[in-house]
Amino acid sequence: MHPLFAQFVPKFALGKIYIKQGRVKIWLDEVDQVFQHPEIATSFFALLRTWHERGKNEAVWQKLRLVIVHSKEVYIPLNINQSPFNVGLPIELRELNWEEVENLVKLHHLEWSSEQIKELMAMVGGHPYLVRQALYQIARGRITLEKLLQVAPTEEGPYCDHLRRHLNNLEEHPELLTAIKQIITIDYPISIGTKEGFKLRSMGLVKFQGNLVMPLCELYRRYFSYRL
């Protein structure tokens, strides 16, 4: 393993390596954490890009697949020829629609009415992680839907770690903190700075309606209204 990869992945990202039939897949989750360390980000991402380029010409490197997961847009300056983010296949995880949430409910062997699905989506929208976490906890018998809806935006709820990470990220960026305060205090979409809107959307906290923004879901509105 390259020393740069071995040194920084355990510190700044959740890395997993899968080996099957002579092929290697490296899964890097939460690489957003590397963005916060520009002193190593350039070299680290250049290394990943180098591996990609070698796969074009060298048979052994064609057996490598990189999966890079991040919840923020890449806004650190990277040389276009040394960035792994402008090659490969980009996949943006969108919100789930009603039918997809309904199918997930069935896959978790929950017999829910349309009203129960409506109540869950009224709180978390179609956010894939939030929906999945709710269904998993309920299916395991750890909490009821009624209780989850009561405690979801609190430190008692199953989303506490997720919400706290977002809060910590916002507190590190005063301009985003100011913007989210504006958004959550008004019950209709508003206009904010383009840069702030872009970054908040990339964090998954807001959604656009035309050029206006609003909280992605009621969970975020309630949690940040209390915390901020």
Side-chain angles (χ1 to χ4, degrees), residues 14 37 41 49 51 54 57 69 74-75 90 105-106 109 113 147 154 157 162 175 190 193 207 226:
L14 302 178
H37 302 273
R49 175 62 180 265
W51 291 353
R54 294 186 69 173
N57 303 305
V69 182
V74 183
Y75 49 82
V105 169
K106 293 177 181 178
H109 306 290
S113 65
K147 181 66 174 179
T154 73
H162 171 81
E175 74 283 4
I190 66 170
K207 57 185 175 182
Y226 177 77

Side-chain angles (χ1 to χ4, degrees), residues 19-137:
I19 302 175
K20 184 177 182 180
Q21 297 179 343
R23 296 185 177 276
V24 179
K25 180 186 293 184
I26 299 178
W27 181 288
L28 298 175
D29 199 0
E30 297 186 17
V31 296
D32 318 63
Q33 297 183 49
V34 184
F35 300 164
Q36 302 172 30
H37 302 273
E39 69 277 7
I40 64 99
T42 301
S43 298
F44 179 73
F45 290 128
L47 171 66
L48 300 184
R49 175 62 180 265
T50 298
W51 291 353
H52 170 81
E53 294 299 327
R54 294 186 69 173
K56 295 180 179 179
N57 303 305
E58 301 177 40
V60 66
W61 283 94
Q62 291 173 4
K63 298 179 180 180
L64 173 67
R65 292 293 182 271
L66 289 172
V67 180
I68 304 174
V69 182
H70 55 99
S71 59
K72 297 179 184 177
E73 291 294 339
V74 183
Y75 49 82
I76 57 174
L78 292 175
N79 184 309
I80 190 172
N81 296 313
Q82 294 183 323
S83 171
F85 300 106
N86 57 357
V87 293
L89 176 65
I91 300 175
E92 182 174 352
L93 197 59
R94 60 170 177 78
E95 284 192 85
L96 303 175
N97 59 36
W98 176 280
E99 290 75 17
E100 290 167 332
V101 173
E102 185 178 38
N103 286 335
L104 275 178
V105 169
K106 293 177 181 178
L107 288 173
H108 284 79
H109 306 290
L110 297 171
E111 297 182 359
W112 279 13
S113 65
S114 295
E115 184 61 29
Q116 288 173 301
I117 297 176
K118 181 179 178 181
E119 289 176 349
L120 177 64
M121 295 189 71
M123 176 62 72
V124 302
H127 190 298
Y129 168 76
L130 300 180
V131 171
R132 160 64 175 158
Q133 180 72 354
L135 297 180
Y136 176 79
Q137 297 292 338

Side-chain angles (χ1 to χ4, degrees), residues 167-187:
L167 180 61
N168 291 339
N169 283 334
L170 289 171
E171 289 177 337
E172 292 175 359
H173 299 87
E175 74 283 4
L176 300 184
L177 194 64
T178 299
I180 200 71
K181 285 180 180 179
Q182 293 177 305
I183 296 167
I184 61 176
T185 55
I186 300 177
D187 293 331

